[in-house]
């Protein structure tokens, strides 16, 4: 039995070694990335069992991601190789034009994962897990992948598996923001745990006021577990009637990409380990901070002992508080 099963596209990330516009960057570092894959690795690094449903190209980049995920302890038994379509890749431009902000350049149209479909869903595999996790990124990459997300969520819901959804709107992948909002709204009534940031809250609920967001999510979609990320202001969650919050940890930022996945993965793993939401949120914030200190989304994802050392440094020892 797995603790978390995710559905989504892993990508090879080519991260600029130097800052500034990509046209002048000479060296790129290769990393395994992709939102749902990042969440799987986050969960696995904390000692739980995760598995990813996806497709990879039958190419060197696909082999790289497959071996990397397997090496991180992620179950790869539901990864299919596509003989015709390539593994998706993207490039990261860092700190240009805005310091500390990264921008991405995708080469993923027609990728192996964009051919994901409902045929990739093994109902018993999903039902044998405690959480099913996905994001709107997977809904954006193709019609068949969107159908797979809708069906995967529906299976999980029907089989009593907690459905976790990170809104994760990537404007570059949608014809319009309206399309993204409509697609997300279409699945929310089957979601049990919702992660979103302030911009997404504005788009979905017309406000970034946490209390209003929590109220609206419950009233409109019946979601009683909502986590709102507010950047340097920290984060707040409403969890079955209880409101908890955490500060953000300020650290030197090399590349902010991947922070949200570290956050979601560590939050979910903490809940699965039986920790209260008040602890899960602090641990998630810590993990998000740790990940942005290096290039790559997965390398700095913490093990338990790393989280403990990080939090102790801020006077927030996990062990004492547990
Ligand atoms: O959350 C980090 C991801 O966004 C990144 O690794 C790439 O999955 C990705 C995407 O679609 O933007």
């Amino acid at each position: 039995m797995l603790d978390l099963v995710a559905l989504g596209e892993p990508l090879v990330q080519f991260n600029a070694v130097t800052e500034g516009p990509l046209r002048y960057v000479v060296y790129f570092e290769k990393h395994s990335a992709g939102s749902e894959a990042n969440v799987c690795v986050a969960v696995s690094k904390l000692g739980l069992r995760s598995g990813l449903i996806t497709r990879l190209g039958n190419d060197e980049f696909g082999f790289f991601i497959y071996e990397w995920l397997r090496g991180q302890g992620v179950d790869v038994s539901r990864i299919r190789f596509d003989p015709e379509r390539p593994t998706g890749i993207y490039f990261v431009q860092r700190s240009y034009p805005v310091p500390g902000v990264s921008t991405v350049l995708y080469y993923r149209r027609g990728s192996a994962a964009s051919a994901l479909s409902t045929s990739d869903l093994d109902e018993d595999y999903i039902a044998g897990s405690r959480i099913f996790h996905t994001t709107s990124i997977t809904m954006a990459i193709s019609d068949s992948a969107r159908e797979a997300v809708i069906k995967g969520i529906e299976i999980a819901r029907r089989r009593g598996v907690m459905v976790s959804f990170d809104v994760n709107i990537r404007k570059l992948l949608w014809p319009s923001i309206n399309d993204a909002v409509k697609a997300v709204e279409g699945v929310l009534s089957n979601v049990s745990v919702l992660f979103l940031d302030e911009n997404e809250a504005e788009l979905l609920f017309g406000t970034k006021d946490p209390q209003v967001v929590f109220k609206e999510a419950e009233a409109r979609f019946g979601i009683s577990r909502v986590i709102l990320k507010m950047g340097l202001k920290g984060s707040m969650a409403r969890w079955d009637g209880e409101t908890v919050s955490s500060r953000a940890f300020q650290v030197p930022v090399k590349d902010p990409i991947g922070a949200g996945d570290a956050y979601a993965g560590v939050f979910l793993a903490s809940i699965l380990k039986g920790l209260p939401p008040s602890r899960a949120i602090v641990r998630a914030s810590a993990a998000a901070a740790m990940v942005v200190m290096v290039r790559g989304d997965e390398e700095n994802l913490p093990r338990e002992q790393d989280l403990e050392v990080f939090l102790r440094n801020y006077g927030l020892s996990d062990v004492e508080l547990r």
Side-chain angles (χ1 to χ4, degrees), residues 176-212:
S176 76
I177 278 296
N178 230 0
D179 290 299
V181 171
K182 263 202 238 141
V184 170
E185 284 176 344
V187 293
L188 286 188
S189 50
N190 274 335
V191 164
S192 10
V193 181
L194 180 68
F195 293 91
L196 77 175
D197 66 20
E198 287 184 310
N199 292 333
E200 292 160 346
E202 283 276 9
L203 288 171
L204 289 168
F205 302 110
T207 177
K208 48 186 176 198
D209 178 329
Q211 296 305 341
V212 182

Side-chain angles (χ1 to χ4, degrees), residues 9 11 13 33-36 38 90 104 106 108 137 168 170 173 257-261 297:
E9 176 168 34
L11 298 158
Q13 174 193 93
S35 183
E36 294 88 349
N38 294 344
Y90 73 111
V104 300
Y106 293 124
R108 66 194 301 182
I137 297 173
N168 253 347
R170 300 284 185 264
L173 300 178
I257 295 178
D261 306 325
D297 299 3

Side-chain angles (χ1 to χ4, degrees), residues 17-30:
V17 171
T18 47
E19 297 176 350
L22 283 189
R23 75 196 90 152
Y24 302 122
V25 171
V26 177
Y27 296 110
F28 292 91
E29 226 173 50
K30 176 163 69 68

Side-chain angles (χ1 to χ4, degrees), residues 54-60 62-63 79-88 110-117 120 144:
T54 197
R55 295 192 190 195
L56 292 167
N58 193 29
D59 51 31
E60 286 300 326
F63 305 150
I79 297 182
R80 283 195 198 164
F81 285 95
D82 186 319
E84 269 138 39
R85 299 177 183 84
T87 304
S111 68
S114 72
L116 270 167
S117 74
D120 291 282
S144 66

